[in-house]
Amino acid sequence: MNVRDSEAVEALMLAAGHEKAASEEDAELVVVNSCTVRQKAEEKAVGKAGNLIAAKKVVGLMGCAVKRMGADVFKRLPKLDFAVGPRAFGLIPRIVAEGRYPRLELGEDAVPEGMDAHVEGGWQAFVTLLLGCDNRCSYCIVPDVRGHEYSRPAREVVAEVAALARRGVKEVCLLGQSVLRYGMRNKAWDDADAPSPGGYTEPFPRLLEALSAIDGIERIRFTSAHPKGCTDELVRAYAEFPKVCRHLHLPVQSGSDRVLAEMGRRYTRAEYLAAVAKLRALDPEFAVTTDVIVGYPGETEEDFEATRSLMEEAGFDNSFVFKYSPRPGTRSAALPDDVPTAEKERRDQVLLADQEARGLARNERLVGTVREVLSEGPSKRNAARWSGRDGGNRIVVWEIGDSPRPAPGEKVRVRIASAHAQILVGETASIKSNNTTAVAASLCRETRRRGDAGRALTTC
Ligand code: 5AD
Ligand code: SF4
């Protein structure tokens, strides 16, 4: 979300006539985007802004930490030039043009100006779908800093994605704290909008249908989700629209019913697992990823073991583990933060090790299959390899050899030869479009090298 908001600010600043600096040192003005979801994230952003101020630049701070601190931000950073809340970033070009510092704009529940501003170029784009959150999970500061939930009108989102497609974007990722609540708190579809051709009645699946119809868009992703939103219509949309990637980031936070109730997550372990089962019934390779918090106040060894076993039962393809961090003003901040730091660390490590083993086992099931990958470019670790992602958001790398270099965003079919916990390694690749000759040549070389004609022919 912050990456997207920063991109919008960049686009707005460029439109206002500024230039992007070649490096941080070169910049006259730097805007630091901040997060306050955990204490450490906030400290990092404030520390960074402090260093830039020391380097005598014009410095602005935007994002969630600004909203949390309010006017106190100028006590932490007395020489900060301006600070804007997460729903006020559209004001930055005007603030800079006016140059009257210090300046604070919190934005409250505003719908930011320039939310559809994008930087030219690139084949992937984030699109903000919902602002804020009304869930109020006990540990979470997001509702206090990002304001009430608001769904953008469908017509606006469809227009934004169509404009991106015209600029060459092939993959969009729709963003919201809880994207499956799209159109629930406020109406997203207007009575004047054309009815859903497939008879979709729920606002989010209906949006997936509309976005799927946009030429040039090849992949649609979205994040984050809540199990309550895993409805039959959502599953039907996954089944009917091949552009909708079969990957869902479904934060679980805990596997203990007692902790889930304390957190106010509004589902039980069984309900969560039922949502995962529904997705995997459609497709056993459906990728499900999650967020987990370890060391929530009062989390016992038994609660922790329940989280471990839930993660195993759900068969997560990937997971992000966070050590509980009390946030001011949240309900759980009133509870004693009683799991010692060393124990939080231990639980974190245990879940990471579990995930390594589980990720490997899940990826090994894909060895021998052919994955459809959108190419990203040379692998960062090994320039002889190319890298991309499959629909499940799995990283796929393959030897590029003499075969044609796929352009960024080009669709490539890769046969998987081996698996690691976080990466699939391919043996051969074929570009889907019109490079058949070149691919056949590279396969023949591969065949001679490995003396495995039968297998290579199947690949062809
Ligand atoms: N402490 C630790 N992790 C947190 N998260 C949200 N609030 C906290 C907190 N107070 C995690 C949740 C959420 C992810 C974005 O950050 O797991 O899904
Ligand atoms: Fe925070 Fe819960 Fe909203 Fe996610 S759903 S942003 S965890 S309050």
Side-chain angles (χ1 to χ4, degrees):
M1 224 161 246
N2 276 3
V3 169
R4 168 64 198 126
D5 291 350
S6 299
E7 187 216 357
V9 171
E10 183 182 337
L12 293 172
M13 290 298 276
L14 292 173
H18 299 274
E19 273 175 39
K20 189 174 176 176
S23 68
E24 192 179 292
E25 291 69 39
D26 260 11
E28 293 167 58
L29 160 76
V30 183
V31 184
V32 177
N33 199 349
S34 64
C35 172
T36 188
V37 79
R38 285 171 296 278
Q39 179 68 27
K40 275 214 173 110
E42 181 177 306
E43 281 162 13
K44 214 165 138 184
V46 171
K48 179 79 190 171
N51 292 342
L52 291 161
I53 291 169
K56 303 210 183 317
K57 302 195 183 282
V58 176
V59 179
L61 189 68
M62 64 184 272
C64 299
V66 171
K67 187 73 200 313
R68 193 196 73 72
M69 290 185 275
D72 284 352
V73 68
F74 292 105
K75 287 190 190 145
R76 296 266 296 268
L77 294 164
K79 290 192 177 144
L80 182 70
D81 293 297
F82 63 90
V84 297
R87 286 167 82 152
F89 61 76
L91 301 174
I92 292 179
R94 212 174 309 149
I95 293 173
V96 172
E98 290 168 7
R100 278 187 280 111
Y101 306 130
R103 184 110 172 243
L104 176 68
E105 297 287 347
L106 293 178
E108 304 301 336
D109 262 351
V111 177
E113 289 169 45
M115 235 185 354
D116 56 354
H118 287 270
V119 175
E120 293 271 352
W123 57 276
Q124 289 171 303
F126 288 119
V127 172
T128 303
L129 190 61
L130 280 103
L131 303 170
C133 181
D134 283 341
N135 274 348
R136 298 223 157 254
C137 302
S138 64
Y139 51 84
C140 186
I141 199 167
V142 167
D144 290 334
V145 291
R146 282 200 171 251
H148 284 297
E149 183 180 298
Y150 169 77
S151 299
R152 292 177 65 201
R155 205 182 295 178
E156 217 175 281
V157 176
V158 172
E160 182 173 336
V161 173
L164 288 166
R166 285 194 295 275
R167 285 185 183 184
V169 167
K170 293 182 174 168
E171 179 177 305
V172 288
C173 181
L174 310 171
L175 300 175
Q177 300 295 340
S178 207
V179 277
L180 305 182
R181 277 194 49 79
Y182 182 64
M184 298 289 180
R185 187 171 184 267
N186 62 293
K187 237 172 135 181
W189 289 96
D190 206 84
D191 296 339
D193 292 325
S196 152
Y200 283 90
T201 58
E202 293 172 13
F204 187 70
R206 186 173 166 191
L207 183 72
L208 294 178
E209 178 188 45
L211 298 180
S212 280
I214 297 175
D215 281 344
I217 295 297
E218 293 188 19
R219 274 186 182 169
I220 301 165
R221 302 187 185 280
F222 44 87
T223 191
S224 281
H226 187 280
K228 278 215 186 314
C230 292
T231 60
D232 292 346
E233 269 204 12
L234 180 74
V235 176
R236 186 181 142 210
Y238 274 120
E240 288 185 347
F241 308 124
K243 292 181 182 183
V244 178
C245 291
R246 292 187 174 180
H247 166 222
L248 193 61
H249 186 65
L250 198 58
V252 66
Q253 316 297 2
S254 171
S256 152
D257 277 335
R258 190 190 68 77
V259 175
L260 286 173
E262 291 236 338
M263 287 176 163
R265 290 291 294 172
R266 300 179 301 113
Y267 54 79
T268 61
R269 171 192 177 99
E271 284 164 342
Y272 182 91
L273 287 169
V276 174
K278 220 165 159 179
L279 301 171
R280 294 256 170 81
L282 170 71
D283 179 353
E285 301 312 340
F286 198 110
V288 183
T289 56
T290 203
D291 290 344
V292 172
I293 296 176
V294 288
Y296 183 80
E299 186 189 62
T300 62
E301 187 60 26
E302 198 184 337
D303 293 323
F304 172 66
E305 285 300 327
T307 299
R308 267 188 100 178
S309 70
L310 173 131
M311 292 178 79
E312 199 49 42
E313 272 179 59
F316 290 124
D317 293 85
N318 205 352
S319 52
F320 301 89
V321 182
F322 302 102
K323 285 171 264 185
Y324 173 72
S325 160
R327 306 306 294 127
T330 58
R331 269 181 292 133
S332 68
L335 304 170
D337 181 13
D338 55 0
V339 179
T341 308
E343 181 57 16
K344 284 182 187 165
E345 184 61 38
R346 186 192 70 83
R347 292 179 188 180
D348 181 17
Q349 292 302 324
V350 169
L351 296 188
L352 287 177
D354 285 355
Q355 185 59 53
E356 277 288 301
R358 186 184 317 115
L360 178 62
R362 280 198 65 77
N363 280 347
E364 275 175 344
R365 294 160 32 140
L366 301 176
V367 172
T369 64
V370 174
R371 316 298 304 164
E372 201 162 83
V373 173
L374 290 194
S375 159
E376 290 178 7
S379 152
K380 284 194 187 91
R381 287 206 199 140
N382 180 350
R385 285 180 166 180
W386 226 248
S387 170
R389 281 175 197 261
D390 76 354
N393 214 27
R394 303 174 185 92
I395 298 170
V396 179
V397 298
W398 66 97
E399 297 290 337
I400 194 74
D402 300 334
S403 45
R405 270 57 183 150
E410 189 159 3
K411 202 176 271 180
V412 172
R413 289 164 62 78
V414 181
R415 178 176 288 274
I416 304 305
S418 63
H420 302 270
Q422 305 271 355
I423 297 177
L424 295 169
V425 181
E427 55 181 355
T428 48
S430 61
I431 293 175
K432 255 200 128 179
S433 48
N434 44 15
N435 277 310
T436 333
T437 325
V439 171
S442 105
L443 282 176
C444 291
R445 265 194 299 279
E446 177 85 350
T447 311
R448 274 199 302 278
R449 192 165 59 75
R450 299 192 310 122
D452 183 0
R455 189 144 175 216
L457 278 176
T458 342
T459 316
C460 290

